[in-house]
Amino acid sequence: MTTTTTQVNPVNPVLRTPPASPAAAAAFFSASLAFHADVSDVASTLAAAAADGTDPGFVVIDSRSTASWDQGHVPGAIHLPTALIPEQAEQLLDRSVPVVTYCWGPGCNGATRSALALAELGFQVKEMLGGFEYWVREGFAYETWEGPAEKAADPLTAPVESDDCGC
């Protein structure tokens, strides 16, 4: 039987730092899934719950400013800017219901800051990866101060011919 070990490879930038062990990788990625939710998973769960008249099992929090909220937000989301979480979370949220936070997109850490603030108050929380940007880019309906809106899915972020990306 031949065994190989990963060696540090100073020429290859991908392997300059060797990959983690399979056990360490499994622990890391498992933990990541406990902290993050995918835009498509959030959208499909909300749509299925609406179609069935059931509870999705979580609430969605938009942590952005009022101007950002008015520009567009996830239908059914609760508007709770990060700065207002300490004074308003208790009145707006039920601690027994998990919370999914989002902000503008992957270049913004507002959802992370709001998730931290909620966790520090004792709420179960996940961050929606991609934020509002990817909600819109994947073609999901959204609401603005003018009413409902929707854009075609960006073929670089979502399958054009299917509702399921297969991942």
Side-chain angles (χ1 to χ4, degrees):
M1 177 166 92
T2 305
T3 60
T4 59
T5 58
T6 303
Q7 299 293 321
V8 173
N9 184 337
V11 178
N12 181 336
V14 173
L15 298 176
R16 188 171 297 139
T17 300
S21 71
F28 173 84
F29 293 118
S30 177
S32 179
L33 292 172
F35 297 112
H36 299 113
D38 177 278
V39 166
S40 296
D41 291 342
V42 172
S44 66
T45 303
L46 291 174
D52 297 344
T54 59
D55 185 334
F58 59 87
V59 296
V60 179
I61 297 293
D62 184 316
S63 65
R64 301 171 302 147
S65 69
T66 299
S68 299
W69 167 268
D70 288 346
Q71 192 172 324
H73 57 270
V74 172
I78 296 170
H79 184 222
L80 182 57
T82 304
L84 300 178
I85 287 173
E87 63 189 62
Q88 294 184 4
E90 301 284 337
Q91 293 81 32
L92 295 174
L93 305 172
D94 178 343
R95 283 191 202 286
S96 68
V97 178
V99 177
V100 176
T101 64
Y102 75 89
C103 195
W104 272 113
C108 176
N109 66 2
T112 305
R113 286 192 307 270
S114 64
L116 173 59
L118 288 163
E120 288 175 337
L121 291 173
F123 291 92
Q124 300 170 70
V125 63
K126 288 188 172 203
E127 178 182 4
M128 185 174 78
L129 295 176
F132 185 67
E133 175 188 349
Y134 275 74
W135 184 274
V136 174
R137 289 183 75 184
E138 291 191 23
F140 300 120
Y142 58 97
E143 297 174 347
T144 73
W145 68 273
E146 297 175 307
E150 190 170 351
K151 293 184 178 184
D154 179 341
L156 295 176
T157 63
V160 177
E161 302 292 328
S162 171
D163 290 337
D164 182 8
C165 70
C167 48

